[in-house]
Amino acid sequence: MKMTLIPLLLGASALTACAAGPDYKAPATPGTATGAFIGASSPAVSMKQADDHWWRLYSDPVLDGMVQDALTANTDIRVAVARLEKARAQLRGARSDSIPQTTLGAQPTYGRASESQTLPGVDRENWTVDAGLNVAYEVDLFGRVKRSIEAAKGDVNAASADADAVRVAVVADTVRAYVDATSSAERMAVARQTVALLDNSIRITNARFEVGRSDRLDVIRVTALRDQQAALIPSLIADRESALFRLATLTGRTPQDLPATIRDRIKTPDLSQPIPVGDGRALLARRPDVRAAEQRLAADTARIGVATADLYPRITLGGSIGTTAIGGGDILGGGPFRWLLGPLINWAFPNQEPIRARIAAARADSNASLATFDGTVLRALEETETALSVYAHALERRDTLRAAREAADRAARISLARQREGQIDFLTVLDAQRTLAAAESELASANRAVAFAQVDLFRALGGGWTAS
């Protein structure tokens, strides 16, 4: 029996290389998805590979510190890392099915047997010791265990990519909150400067009114314009405070714990160089959501094999050794010692319809994962092209508004000079000042929109998150 069992085990082990179900093959992507971006023709970007540590392009040490803090302490990242650890634990559990399973037990009991169950001269009350070691090993003839491990590996890789996606989002949100806070400070400075200019206009108009060279209505009109500009400041302060509070949450702090260095930052970070964007091939390899979708497809493909393996017999080789001793005698002696060895075969046959239903469900899950992957690829390209377009046009709009602001500033200065000389009336001056105030405000908003567009572009590119 021992001689025939060994070849059986060797043959069974060789068959474990066979696995039920389809082998995973990476899905194909459209050929046009891997080429240059449509928006890459803009001079605002370059075809160089995207920078993993993109926030460092701003050369802002305070921003670098905020990103580092977010990567270390952000609560969403901690949740994602915990889910990754759970997936890794489940992978260890799946791998453990490929090795023999052992259980060791011992049960000492003290009791009284009935007189009919006791031999003459034997004490009816005594200790009974039962101990044994059981070993079971599933012969993976049809790859159930192998496919289970493959599925668990796919889940781990998907969880890892999900964690990367959370890091990308957190970094982008952190930079965006930082930009929001600094741009709000800049817009506040512009509003206060405009109010100061209008205060000066009020003084001039009052002086002209006192000497009879201006009407009281002129004073009222310029004062109203000044108050309108001053009314913008409280909302800008609220915007800045909101951005700072959001930045505190993203970096794992309470609002009170936000460093003073952050509150002191009043200049919005900007890039003076083209943004490296790479091409579609690099984008799809870098985007964590694409990687996560592909790994889920791999896991669901492996689960088809797990379900398919149930169509075939499941063979488990088992054995046990143990001993049962009465009265605390020699529990290791030949008398109480026992052993058992043999295979266990389980096979759901002939009614296999429930198994085939599970196989069909697994195939449907795989098809859904394939569709999800295809959709993720298309959305990645859409988001990137959209971000490229928005960024290019935001720069164009800012350049136009910058020129408009310079023209409005010249017009306001000329109108004031001509008013002093009596060449034009006050309404012309007031209109010029109103135009300048609007141009200043729109330019400040355009600077903010450009900074936001930069962050959105980096986020669409799947920018790296490692802070090392």
mmCIF file of all heavy atoms in Angstrom, residues 148-199:
data_model
loop_
_atom_site.group_PDB
_atom_site.id
_atom_site.type_symbol
_atom_site.label_atom_id
_atom_site.label_comp_id
_atom_site.label_asym_id
_atom_site.label_seq_id
_atom_site.Cartn_x
_atom_site.Cartn_y
_atom_site.Cartn_z
ATOM 1 N N SER A 148 -7.453 30.455 -6.995
ATOM 2 C CA SER A 148 -7.789 31.267 -5.818
ATOM 3 C C SER A 148 -6.636 32.189 -5.447
ATOM 4 O O SER A 148 -6.845 33.354 -5.088
ATOM 5 C CB SER A 148 -8.141 30.358 -4.628
ATOM 6 O OG SER A 148 -9.298 29.598 -4.883
ATOM 7 N N ILE A 149 -5.414 31.675 -5.549
ATOM 8 C CA ILE A 149 -4.243 32.503 -5.259
ATOM 9 C C ILE A 149 -4.113 33.610 -6.305
ATOM 10 O O ILE A 149 -3.820 34.766 -5.971
ATOM 11 C CB ILE A 149 -2.970 31.633 -5.210
ATOM 12 C CG1 ILE A 149 -3.045 30.659 -4.024
ATOM 13 C CG2 ILE A 149 -1.724 32.495 -5.110
ATOM 14 C CD1 ILE A 149 -1.904 29.662 -3.977
ATOM 15 N N GLU A 150 -4.354 33.274 -7.568
ATOM 16 C CA GLU A 150 -4.293 34.292 -8.618
ATOM 17 C C GLU A 150 -5.316 35.397 -8.363
ATOM 18 O O GLU A 150 -5.018 36.591 -8.536
ATOM 19 C CB GLU A 150 -4.548 33.651 -9.978
ATOM 20 C CG GLU A 150 -3.408 32.766 -10.476
ATOM 21 C CD GLU A 150 -3.750 32.116 -11.819
ATOM 22 O OE1 GLU A 150 -4.854 32.398 -12.355
ATOM 23 O OE2 GLU A 150 -2.926 31.340 -12.329
ATOM 24 N N ALA A 151 -6.519 35.011 -7.969
ATOM 25 C CA ALA A 151 -7.556 36.005 -7.691
ATOM 26 C C ALA A 151 -7.154 36.900 -6.515
ATOM 27 O O ALA A 151 -7.346 38.120 -6.549
ATOM 28 C CB ALA A 151 -8.893 35.314 -7.405
ATOM 29 N N ALA A 152 -6.586 36.288 -5.487
ATOM 30 C CA ALA A 152 -6.165 37.066 -4.317
ATOM 31 C C ALA A 152 -5.025 38.017 -4.680
ATOM 32 O O ALA A 152 -4.972 39.150 -4.191
ATOM 33 C CB ALA A 152 -5.743 36.131 -3.191
ATOM 34 N N LYS A 153 -4.113 37.571 -5.553
ATOM 35 C CA LYS A 153 -3.043 38.459 -6.012
ATOM 36 C C LYS A 153 -3.622 39.652 -6.774
ATOM 37 O O LYS A 153 -3.171 40.793 -6.604
ATOM 38 C CB LYS A 153 -2.067 37.696 -6.903
ATOM 39 C CG LYS A 153 -1.137 36.744 -6.171
ATOM 40 C CD LYS A 153 -0.196 36.060 -7.157
ATOM 41 C CE LYS A 153 0.770 35.127 -6.434
ATOM 42 N NZ LYS A 153 1.662 34.422 -7.404
ATOM 43 N N GLY A 154 -4.614 39.389 -7.629
ATOM 44 C CA GLY A 154 -5.256 40.483 -8.347
ATOM 45 C C GLY A 154 -5.906 41.474 -7.394
ATOM 46 O O GLY A 154 -5.834 42.692 -7.595
ATOM 47 N N ASP A 155 -6.543 40.951 -6.336
ATOM 48 C CA ASP A 155 -7.161 41.832 -5.347
ATOM 49 C C ASP A 155 -6.118 42.682 -4.637
ATOM 50 O O ASP A 155 -6.350 43.869 -4.361
ATOM 51 C CB ASP A 155 -7.941 41.003 -4.328
ATOM 52 C CG ASP A 155 -9.186 40.359 -4.925
ATOM 53 O OD1 ASP A 155 -9.676 40.873 -5.951
ATOM 54 O OD2 ASP A 155 -9.661 39.359 -4.366
ATOM 55 N N VAL A 156 -4.967 42.094 -4.323
ATOM 56 C CA VAL A 156 -3.896 42.857 -3.670
ATOM 57 C C VAL A 156 -3.389 43.960 -4.595
ATOM 58 O O VAL A 156 -3.234 45.116 -4.174
ATOM 59 C CB VAL A 156 -2.736 41.923 -3.261
ATOM 60 C CG1 VAL A 156 -1.511 42.736 -2.839
ATOM 61 C CG2 VAL A 156 -3.166 41.025 -2.115
ATOM 62 N N ASN A 157 -3.146 43.612 -5.845
ATOM 63 C CA ASN A 157 -2.648 44.615 -6.791
ATOM 64 C C ASN A 157 -3.672 45.720 -7.018
ATOM 65 O O ASN A 157 -3.307 46.895 -7.159
ATOM 66 C CB ASN A 157 -2.281 43.950 -8.115
ATOM 67 C CG ASN A 157 -1.089 43.027 -7.996
ATOM 68 O OD1 ASN A 157 -0.246 43.200 -7.121
ATOM 69 N ND2 ASN A 157 -1.020 42.027 -8.851
ATOM 70 N N ALA A 158 -4.944 45.352 -7.054
ATOM 71 C CA ALA A 158 -5.991 46.364 -7.221
ATOM 72 C C ALA A 158 -6.063 47.272 -5.995
ATOM 73 O O ALA A 158 -6.212 48.489 -6.129
ATOM 74 C CB ALA A 158 -7.340 45.694 -7.462
ATOM 75 N N ALA A 159 -5.952 46.682 -4.801
ATOM 76 C CA ALA A 159 -5.976 47.491 -3.584
ATOM 77 C C ALA A 159 -4.772 48.418 -3.518
ATOM 78 O O ALA A 159 -4.867 49.560 -3.048
ATOM 79 C CB ALA A 159 -6.020 46.586 -2.351
ATOM 80 N N SER A 160 -3.628 47.928 -3.993
ATOM 81 C CA SER A 160 -2.433 48.766 -4.025
ATOM 82 C C SER A 160 -2.627 49.949 -4.980
ATOM 83 O O SER A 160 -2.268 51.094 -4.666
ATOM 84 C CB SER A 160 -1.224 47.935 -4.455
ATOM 85 O OG SER A 160 -0.062 48.731 -4.536
ATOM 86 N N ALA A 161 -3.208 49.666 -6.154
ATOM 87 C CA ALA A 161 -3.471 50.751 -7.106
ATOM 88 C C ALA A 161 -4.516 51.712 -6.559
ATOM 89 O O ALA A 161 -4.424 52.930 -6.764
ATOM 90 C CB ALA A 161 -3.933 50.173 -8.441
ATOM 91 N N ASP A 162 -5.512 51.193 -5.846
ATOM 92 C CA ASP A 162 -6.506 52.065 -5.214
ATOM 93 C C ASP A 162 -5.845 52.997 -4.204
ATOM 94 O O ASP A 162 -6.209 54.179 -4.113
ATOM 95 C CB ASP A 162 -7.572 51.228 -4.517
ATOM 96 C CG ASP A 162 -8.542 50.580 -5.496
ATOM 97 O OD1 ASP A 162 -8.640 51.066 -6.642
ATOM 98 O OD2 ASP A 162 -9.201 49.601 -5.112
ATOM 99 N N ALA A 163 -4.907 52.460 -3.435
ATOM 100 C CA ALA A 163 -4.188 53.296 -2.474
ATOM 101 C C ALA A 163 -3.399 54.390 -3.192
ATOM 102 O O ALA A 163 -3.355 55.543 -2.741
ATOM 103 C CB ALA A 163 -3.265 52.436 -1.612
ATOM 104 N N ASP A 164 -2.788 54.042 -4.328
ATOM 105 C CA ASP A 164 -2.076 55.050 -5.115
ATOM 106 C C ASP A 164 -3.041 56.117 -5.622
ATOM 107 O O ASP A 164 -2.713 57.306 -5.649
ATOM 108 C CB ASP A 164 -1.357 54.395 -6.284
ATOM 109 C CG ASP A 164 -0.144 53.584 -5.850
ATOM 110 O OD1 ASP A 164 0.256 53.720 -4.677
ATOM 111 O OD2 ASP A 164 0.393 52.826 -6.670
ATOM 112 N N ALA A 165 -4.232 55.677 -6.050
ATOM 113 C CA ALA A 165 -5.220 56.639 -6.549
ATOM 114 C C ALA A 165 -5.646 57.604 -5.447
ATOM 115 O O ALA A 165 -5.834 58.803 -5.691
ATOM 116 C CB ALA A 165 -6.437 55.891 -7.097
ATOM 117 N N VAL A 166 -5.793 57.083 -4.235
ATOM 118 C CA VAL A 166 -6.143 57.963 -3.111
ATOM 119 C C VAL A 166 -5.017 58.951 -2.856
ATOM 120 O O VAL A 166 -5.253 60.147 -2.609
ATOM 121 C CB VAL A 166 -6.439 57.128 -1.843
ATOM 122 C CG1 VAL A 166 -6.608 58.029 -0.634
ATOM 123 C CG2 VAL A 166 -7.692 56.292 -2.045
ATOM 124 N N ARG A 167 -3.774 58.485 -2.934
ATOM 125 C CA ARG A 167 -2.638 59.387 -2.730
ATOM 126 C C ARG A 167 -2.608 60.485 -3.799
ATOM 127 O O ARG A 167 -2.347 61.652 -3.496
ATOM 128 C CB ARG A 167 -1.336 58.586 -2.743
ATOM 129 C CG ARG A 167 -1.178 57.640 -1.557
ATOM 130 C CD ARG A 167 0.163 56.932 -1.604
ATOM 131 N NE ARG A 167 0.360 56.064 -0.469
ATOM 132 C CZ ARG A 167 0.218 54.748 -0.483
ATOM 133 N NH1 ARG A 167 -0.134 54.143 -1.613
ATOM 134 N NH2 ARG A 167 0.425 54.020 0.593
ATOM 135 N N VAL A 168 -2.853 60.095 -5.051
ATOM 136 C CA VAL A 168 -2.888 61.089 -6.123
ATOM 137 C C VAL A 168 -3.957 62.144 -5.828
ATOM 138 O O VAL A 168 -3.719 63.351 -5.964
ATOM 139 C CB VAL A 168 -3.167 60.410 -7.476
ATOM 140 C CG1 VAL A 168 -3.494 61.443 -8.549
ATOM 141 C CG2 VAL A 168 -1.966 59.572 -7.905
ATOM 142 N N ALA A 169 -5.138 61.693 -5.430
ATOM 143 C CA ALA A 169 -6.230 62.617 -5.141
ATOM 144 C C ALA A 169 -5.902 63.512 -3.958
ATOM 145 O O ALA A 169 -6.183 64.717 -3.978
ATOM 146 C CB ALA A 169 -7.520 61.831 -4.875
ATOM 147 N N VAL A 170 -5.312 62.932 -2.910
ATOM 148 C CA VAL A 170 -4.991 63.719 -1.710
ATOM 149 C C VAL A 170 -3.934 64.767 -2.023
ATOM 150 O O VAL A 170 -4.031 65.923 -1.582
ATOM 151 C CB VAL A 170 -4.537 62.782 -0.571
ATOM 152 C CG1 VAL A 170 -3.888 63.576 0.563
ATOM 153 C CG2 VAL A 170 -5.721 61.984 -0.044
ATOM 154 N N VAL A 171 -2.905 64.379 -2.782
ATOM 155 C CA VAL A 171 -1.872 65.355 -3.150
ATOM 156 C C VAL A 171 -2.487 66.486 -3.969
ATOM 157 O O VAL A 171 -2.221 67.676 -3.711
ATOM 158 C CB VAL A 171 -0.732 64.669 -3.929
ATOM 159 C CG1 VAL A 171 0.195 65.718 -4.544
ATOM 160 C CG2 VAL A 171 0.068 63.754 -3.010
ATOM 161 N N ALA A 172 -3.312 66.134 -4.953
ATOM 162 C CA ALA A 172 -3.940 67.165 -5.776
ATOM 163 C C ALA A 172 -4.847 68.064 -4.940
ATOM 164 O O ALA A 172 -4.838 69.297 -5.100
ATOM 165 C CB ALA A 172 -4.734 66.511 -6.902
ATOM 166 N N ASP A 173 -5.629 67.472 -4.045
ATOM 167 C CA ASP A 173 -6.512 68.279 -3.197
ATOM 168 C C ASP A 173 -5.710 69.173 -2.259
ATOM 169 O O ASP A 173 -6.125 70.303 -1.964
ATOM 170 C CB ASP A 173 -7.433 67.367 -2.389
ATOM 171 C CG ASP A 173 -8.498 66.703 -3.254
ATOM 172 O OD1 ASP A 173 -8.716 67.180 -4.387
ATOM 173 O OD2 ASP A 173 -9.091 65.707 -2.803
ATOM 174 N N THR A 174 -4.577 68.667 -1.776
ATOM 175 C CA THR A 174 -3.736 69.472 -0.885
ATOM 176 C C THR A 174 -3.163 70.676 -1.630
ATOM 177 O O THR A 174 -3.203 71.810 -1.129
ATOM 178 C CB THR A 174 -2.594 68.614 -0.319
ATOM 179 O OG1 THR A 174 -3.149 67.519 0.427
ATOM 180 C CG2 THR A 174 -1.698 69.436 0.600
ATOM 181 N N VAL A 175 -2.631 70.428 -2.817
ATOM 182 C CA VAL A 175 -2.084 71.543 -3.605
ATOM 183 C C VAL A 175 -3.198 72.511 -3.982
ATOM 184 O O VAL A 175 -3.018 73.734 -3.934
ATOM 185 C CB VAL A 175 -1.373 71.013 -4.864
ATOM 186 C CG1 VAL A 175 -0.863 72.173 -5.717
ATOM 187 C CG2 VAL A 175 -0.216 70.106 -4.476
ATOM 188 N N ARG A 176 -4.355 71.989 -4.314
ATOM 189 C CA ARG A 176 -5.477 72.857 -4.698
ATOM 190 C C ARG A 176 -5.921 73.727 -3.520
ATOM 191 O O ARG A 176 -6.197 74.921 -3.690
ATOM 192 C CB ARG A 176 -6.648 72.004 -5.195
ATOM 193 C CG ARG A 176 -7.768 72.818 -5.826
ATOM 194 C CD ARG A 176 -8.885 71.906 -6.294
ATOM 195 N NE ARG A 176 -9.961 72.658 -6.917
ATOM 196 C CZ ARG A 176 -10.051 72.929 -8.205
ATOM 197 N NH1 ARG A 176 -9.107 72.496 -9.020
ATOM 198 N NH2 ARG A 176 -11.063 73.626 -8.686
ATOM 199 N N ALA A 177 -5.991 73.134 -2.324
ATOM 200 C CA ALA A 177 -6.364 73.919 -1.138
ATOM 201 C C ALA A 177 -5.319 74.980 -0.843
ATOM 202 O O ALA A 177 -5.648 76.118 -0.463
ATOM 203 C CB ALA A 177 -6.544 72.997 0.059
ATOM 204 N N TYR A 178 -4.058 74.618 -1.005
ATOM 205 C CA TYR A 178 -2.968 75.580 -0.799
ATOM 206 C C TYR A 178 -3.086 76.728 -1.800
ATOM 207 O O TYR A 178 -2.963 77.916 -1.437
ATOM 208 C CB TYR A 178 -1.633 74.862 -0.959
ATOM 209 C CG TYR A 178 -0.406 75.712 -0.712
ATOM 210 C CD1 TYR A 178 0.077 75.916 0.568
ATOM 211 C CD2 TYR A 178 0.280 76.276 -1.782
ATOM 212 C CE1 TYR A 178 1.222 76.681 0.793
ATOM 213 C CE2 TYR A 178 1.409 77.049 -1.578
ATOM 214 C CZ TYR A 178 1.878 77.242 -0.293
ATOM 215 O OH TYR A 178 3.004 78.003 -0.086
ATOM 216 N N VAL A 179 -3.328 76.395 -3.059
ATOM 217 C CA VAL A 179 -3.495 77.408 -4.098
ATOM 218 C C VAL A 179 -4.718 78.280 -3.805
ATOM 219 O O VAL A 179 -4.681 79.508 -3.978
ATOM 220 C CB VAL A 179 -3.618 76.738 -5.477
ATOM 221 C CG1 VAL A 179 -4.134 77.722 -6.520
ATOM 222 C CG2 VAL A 179 -2.279 76.164 -5.910
ATOM 223 N N ASP A 180 -5.786 77.649 -3.356
ATOM 224 C CA ASP A 180 -7.001 78.397 -3.034
ATOM 225 C C ASP A 180 -6.737 79.405 -1.925
ATOM 226 O O ASP A 180 -7.201 80.562 -1.979
ATOM 227 C CB ASP A 180 -8.104 77.423 -2.622
ATOM 228 C CG ASP A 180 -9.491 78.036 -2.720
ATOM 229 O OD1 ASP A 180 -9.596 79.199 -3.143
ATOM 230 O OD2 ASP A 180 -10.467 77.352 -2.369
ATOM 231 N N ALA A 181 -5.989 78.977 -0.907
ATOM 232 C CA ALA A 181 -5.693 79.875 0.211
ATOM 233 C C ALA A 181 -4.813 81.041 -0.232
ATOM 234 O O ALA A 181 -5.069 82.204 0.107
ATOM 235 C CB ALA A 181 -5.016 79.100 1.337
ATOM 236 N N THR A 182 -3.775 80.740 -0.994
ATOM 237 C CA THR A 182 -2.864 81.810 -1.422
ATOM 238 C C THR A 182 -3.518 82.731 -2.443
ATOM 239 O O THR A 182 -3.325 83.958 -2.398
ATOM 240 C CB THR A 182 -1.581 81.204 -2.005
ATOM 241 O OG1 THR A 182 -1.914 80.285 -3.057
ATOM 242 C CG2 THR A 182 -0.788 80.481 -0.931
ATOM 243 N N SER A 183 -4.292 82.167 -3.363
ATOM 244 C CA SER A 183 -4.946 83.023 -4.363
ATOM 245 C C SER A 183 -6.006 83.908 -3.711
ATOM 246 O O SER A 183 -6.207 85.059 -4.142
ATOM 247 C CB SER A 183 -5.571 82.173 -5.465
ATOM 248 O OG SER A 183 -6.641 81.385 -4.973
ATOM 249 N N SER A 184 -6.677 83.393 -2.684
ATOM 250 C CA SER A 184 -7.634 84.228 -1.957
ATOM 251 C C SER A 184 -6.922 85.400 -1.291
ATOM 252 O O SER A 184 -7.454 86.521 -1.255
ATOM 253 C CB SER A 184 -8.386 83.395 -0.916
ATOM 254 O OG SER A 184 -9.195 82.417 -1.535
ATOM 255 N N ALA A 185 -5.727 85.130 -0.777
ATOM 256 C CA ALA A 185 -4.949 86.213 -0.184
ATOM 257 C C ALA A 185 -4.563 87.249 -1.242
ATOM 258 O O ALA A 185 -4.610 88.467 -0.980
ATOM 259 C CB ALA A 185 -3.700 85.654 0.486
ATOM 260 N N GLU A 186 -4.195 86.791 -2.416
ATOM 261 C CA GLU A 186 -3.857 87.727 -3.488
ATOM 262 C C GLU A 186 -5.075 88.540 -3.919
ATOM 263 O O GLU A 186 -4.978 89.750 -4.165
ATOM 264 C CB GLU A 186 -3.281 86.969 -4.682
ATOM 265 C CG GLU A 186 -1.842 86.528 -4.498
ATOM 266 C CD GLU A 186 -1.208 86.058 -5.802
ATOM 267 O OE1 GLU A 186 -1.919 86.031 -6.823
ATOM 268 O OE2 GLU A 186 -0.010 85.742 -5.784
ATOM 269 N N ARG A 187 -6.210 87.881 -4.038
ATOM 270 C CA ARG A 187 -7.423 88.598 -4.418
ATOM 271 C C ARG A 187 -7.831 89.602 -3.346
ATOM 272 O O ARG A 187 -8.337 90.695 -3.665
ATOM 273 C CB ARG A 187 -8.547 87.604 -4.677
ATOM 274 C CG ARG A 187 -8.307 86.741 -5.924
ATOM 275 C CD ARG A 187 -9.064 85.448 -5.881
ATOM 276 N NE ARG A 187 -10.498 85.634 -5.928
ATOM 277 C CZ ARG A 187 -11.371 84.756 -5.463
ATOM 278 N NH1 ARG A 187 -10.948 83.620 -4.905
ATOM 279 N NH2 ARG A 187 -12.660 84.974 -5.552
ATOM 280 N N MET A 188 -7.609 89.238 -2.077
ATOM 281 C CA MET A 188 -7.864 90.195 -0.998
ATOM 282 C C MET A 188 -6.954 91.411 -1.128
ATOM 283 O O MET A 188 -7.388 92.561 -0.939
ATOM 284 C CB MET A 188 -7.650 89.511 0.356
ATOM 285 C CG MET A 188 -8.738 88.525 0.746
ATOM 286 S SD MET A 188 -8.218 87.397 2.076
ATOM 287 C CE MET A 188 -7.593 88.551 3.287
ATOM 288 N N ALA A 189 -5.681 91.181 -1.461
ATOM 289 C CA ALA A 189 -4.742 92.289 -1.620
ATOM 290 C C ALA A 189 -5.170 93.200 -2.763
ATOM 291 O O ALA A 189 -5.098 94.436 -2.654
ATOM 292 C CB ALA A 189 -3.339 91.750 -1.854
ATOM 293 N N VAL A 190 -5.630 92.587 -3.860
ATOM 294 C CA VAL A 190 -6.100 93.388 -4.991
ATOM 295 C C VAL A 190 -7.315 94.209 -4.598
ATOM 296 O O VAL A 190 -7.422 95.408 -4.926
ATOM 297 C CB VAL A 190 -6.429 92.468 -6.189
ATOM 298 C CG1 VAL A 190 -7.169 93.237 -7.280
ATOM 299 C CG2 VAL A 190 -5.162 91.847 -6.747
ATOM 300 N N ALA A 191 -8.264 93.579 -3.887
ATOM 301 C CA ALA A 191 -9.470 94.297 -3.467
ATOM 302 C C ALA A 191 -9.119 95.453 -2.534
ATOM 303 O O ALA A 191 -9.675 96.562 -2.653
ATOM 304 C CB ALA A 191 -10.431 93.331 -2.787
ATOM 305 N N ARG A 192 -8.193 95.220 -1.605
ATOM 306 C CA ARG A 192 -7.812 96.288 -0.682
ATOM 307 C C ARG A 192 -7.078 97.413 -1.409
ATOM 308 O O ARG A 192 -7.238 98.588 -1.076
ATOM 309 C CB ARG A 192 -6.949 95.704 0.433
ATOM 310 C CG ARG A 192 -7.771 94.906 1.451
ATOM 311 C CD ARG A 192 -6.914 94.115 2.395
ATOM 312 N NE ARG A 192 -7.729 93.460 3.426
ATOM 313 C CZ ARG A 192 -7.371 92.384 4.098
ATOM 314 N NH1 ARG A 192 -6.187 91.814 3.830
ATOM 315 N NH2 ARG A 192 -8.160 91.874 5.009
ATOM 316 N N GLN A 193 -6.258 97.040 -2.393
ATOM 317 C CA GLN A 193 -5.578 98.065 -3.178
ATOM 318 C C GLN A 193 -6.588 98.903 -3.963
ATOM 319 O O GLN A 193 -6.456 100.132 -4.055
ATOM 320 C CB GLN A 193 -4.580 97.411 -4.126
ATOM 321 C CG GLN A 193 -3.771 98.400 -4.952
ATOM 322 C CD GLN A 193 -2.803 97.707 -5.884
ATOM 323 O OE1 GLN A 193 -2.799 96.480 -5.980
ATOM 324 N NE2 GLN A 193 -1.972 98.481 -6.547
ATOM 325 N N THR A 194 -7.595 98.235 -4.513
ATOM 326 C CA THR A 194 -8.630 98.968 -5.244
ATOM 327 C C THR A 194 -9.387 99.899 -4.317
ATOM 328 O O THR A 194 -9.683 101.052 -4.669
ATOM 329 C CB THR A 194 -9.599 97.971 -5.906
ATOM 330 O OG1 THR A 194 -8.873 97.117 -6.794
ATOM 331 C CG2 THR A 194 -10.682 98.697 -6.678
ATOM 332 N N VAL A 195 -9.708 99.421 -3.113
ATOM 333 C CA VAL A 195 -10.400 100.262 -2.128
ATOM 334 C C VAL A 195 -9.538 101.472 -1.769
ATOM 335 O O VAL A 195 -10.041 102.605 -1.645
ATOM 336 C CB VAL A 195 -10.762 99.435 -0.888
ATOM 337 C CG1 VAL A 195 -11.240 100.342 0.254
ATOM 338 C CG2 VAL A 195 -11.834 98.411 -1.221
ATOM 339 N N ALA A 196 -8.238 101.231 -1.610
ATOM 340 C CA ALA A 196 -7.337 102.342 -1.279
ATOM 341 C C ALA A 196 -7.319 103.379 -2.403
ATOM 342 O O ALA A 196 -7.320 104.604 -2.144
ATOM 343 C CB ALA A 196 -5.928 101.814 -1.020
ATOM 344 N N LEU A 197 -7.302 102.922 -3.664
ATOM 345 C CA LEU A 197 -7.329 103.857 -4.791
ATOM 346 C C LEU A 197 -8.631 104.640 -4.812
ATOM 347 O O LEU A 197 -8.647 105.859 -5.089
ATOM 348 C CB LEU A 197 -7.135 103.098 -6.105
ATOM 349 C CG LEU A 197 -5.749 102.498 -6.344
ATOM 350 C CD1 LEU A 197 -5.755 101.642 -7.606
ATOM 351 C CD2 LEU A 197 -4.685 103.580 -6.443
ATOM 352 N N LEU A 198 -9.722 103.964 -4.524
ATOM 353 C CA LEU A 198 -11.013 104.651 -4.517
ATOM 354 C C LEU A 198 -11.124 105.604 -3.330
ATOM 355 O O LEU A 198 -11.784 106.656 -3.425
ATOM 356 C CB LEU A 198 -12.144 103.623 -4.492
ATOM 357 C CG LEU A 198 -12.293 102.799 -5.781
ATOM 358 C CD1 LEU A 198 -13.330 101.697 -5.599
ATOM 359 C CD2 LEU A 198 -12.685 103.696 -6.945
ATOM 360 N N ASP A 199 -10.495 105.248 -2.199
ATOM 361 C CA ASP A 199 -10.451 106.185 -1.075
ATOM 362 C C ASP A 199 -9.749 107.469 -1.488
ATOM 363 O O ASP A 199 -10.165 108.586 -1.103
ATOM 364 C CB ASP A 199 -9.727 105.548 0.119
ATOM 365 C CG ASP A 199 -10.598 104.540 0.852
ATOM 366 O OD1 ASP A 199 -11.833 104.622 0.719
ATOM 367 O OD2 ASP A 199 -10.025 103.654 1.538
#
